[in-house]
Amino acid sequence: GLTCTEQNFITKAGFQQAAAEHGLIVVAPDTSPRGCNIEGEDESWDFGTGAGFYVDATEDPWKTNYRMYSYIKDELPKLINANFPTDPERMSVFGHSMGGHGALILALKNPGKYKSVSAFAPICNPIQCQWGKKALGGYLGPDASKWEAYDATQLVKSYSGSRLDILIDQGKDDQFLSAGQLLPDNFIAACTERKIPVVFRLQQASCFCRPWLLDSCLRFLGYDHSYFFIASFINDHIKHHAKYLNA
């Protein structure tokens, strides 16, 4: 996700036990290049460092280093397969927020490459939200038609590859959902039109009460955009991928 390094997921998601039980290797890449000495790369939290947006930039000065799409698709798997006991033919992809956007576009642009895909609170329609417009405009230039190649909602409209079961968890109290940055409804509508299976779970708030005073609630705990939300449902996502990877 935006602003994150690989350590956010490694230290906060709590995926390790489930991954070990299912015999899966989990690879957590960084979200962007770092230390490229590009003017302006550290000026804002939603563009440049920590905000690679999983595209291959075409604009100067970003196009030399900011190629996260190709890095995730090609370079990183080759590195992992060369150094760990993997099966290169069995690979899945998932991510959170900006990373959820990355997971969805990687699966949709490369039919058959990934056995399954899932996402937590993904940016589903970046050409229609401020985060996406800023990042895609900066990396790909002002021609908005070029942005569609990295927009899951647009990509799913023309998807004709192998069957792809998609799992998405979204917190109902996610501040970025209400701010119009994620736009999952647009993606779900496109999937429905194309008859592409997608399980979308809008996770509700829970009410915790004193057992001796059932009419007195302590507080409502809603699922937001944080890693507490991810940790709550990470086992479901590991199980989702294991179903296909271990088939």
Side-chain angles (χ1 to χ4, degrees):
L2 286 165
T3 76
C4 293
T5 72
E6 74 284 352
Q7 287 302 317
N8 291 80
F9 181 78
I10 291 171
T11 60
K12 297 178 182 179
F15 67 92
Q16 289 88 344
Q17 182 175 353
E21 289 176 353
H22 290 285
L24 303 183
I25 292 174
V26 177
V27 181
D30 202 347
T31 55
S32 71
R34 296 183 187 269
C36 299
N37 297 316
I38 298 174
E39 184 177 356
E41 67 181 344
D42 297 319
E43 288 183 358
S44 58
W45 64 273
D46 54 357
F47 185 79
T49 300
F53 241 82
Y54 303 100
V55 305
D56 283 349
T58 57
E59 296 294 297
D60 290 323
W62 312 99
K63 64 183 182 182
T64 298
N65 303 102
Y66 278 69
R67 302 183 58 81
M68 290 300 294
Y69 173 76
S70 290
Y71 174 69
I72 300 297
K73 182 174 76 76
D74 300 318
E75 184 177 349
L76 183 59
K78 289 179 182 177
L79 179 67
I80 298 300
N81 292 332
N83 289 277
F84 295 93
T86 62
D87 180 348
E89 300 302 316
R90 291 191 290 174
M91 178 168 56
S92 293
V93 62
F94 71 119
H96 169 228
S97 194
M98 179 183 72
H101 143 78
L104 291 174
I105 64 169
L106 279 157
L108 292 168
K109 289 169 71 69
N110 301 278
K113 185 177 183 67
Y114 304 98
K115 297 297 185 182
S116 53
V117 59
S118 73
F120 292 93
I123 302 172
C124 292
N125 198 184
I127 66 173
Q128 297 292 341
C129 74
Q130 290 304 309
W131 280 345
K133 291 176 181 178
K134 180 176 181 178
L136 298 178
Y139 295 132
L140 304 176
D143 183 354
S145 66
K146 296 180 180 179
W147 306 353
E148 294 182 0
Y150 294 101
D151 184 298
T153 299
Q154 294 299 315
L155 289 169
V156 83
K157 293 177 181 179
S158 59
Y159 182 79
S160 59
S162 56
R163 178 183 172 89
L164 191 63
D165 286 341
I166 304 168
L167 171 63
I168 296 176
D169 271 318
Q170 172 65 63
K172 185 178 180 181
D173 292 338
D174 188 323
Q175 65 272 35
F176 300 118
L177 175 66
S178 58
Q181 296 282 24
L182 308 178
L183 303 174
D185 290 347
N186 296 357
F187 181 72
I188 300 304
C191 287
T192 301
E193 184 177 340
R194 293 289 298 170
K195 294 182 172 57
I196 293 176
V198 55
V199 174
F200 177 77
R201 308 192 305 186
L202 186 63
Q203 302 293 358
Q204 307 277 348
S206 298
C207 178
F208 290 83
C209 300
R210 295 185 178 94
W212 58 92
L213 286 174
L214 294 181
D215 60 340
S216 177
C217 291
L218 293 176
R219 60 173 174 163
F220 283 92
L221 297 176
Y223 291 113
D224 56 13
H225 204 70
S226 72
Y227 267 87
F228 297 111
F229 161 61
I230 293 175
S232 298
F233 301 103
I234 189 66
N235 287 0
D236 291 347
H237 286 247
I238 296 295
K239 184 177 179 180
H240 169 75
H241 295 296
K243 173 183 175 182
Y244 296 95
L245 291 170
N246 292 328

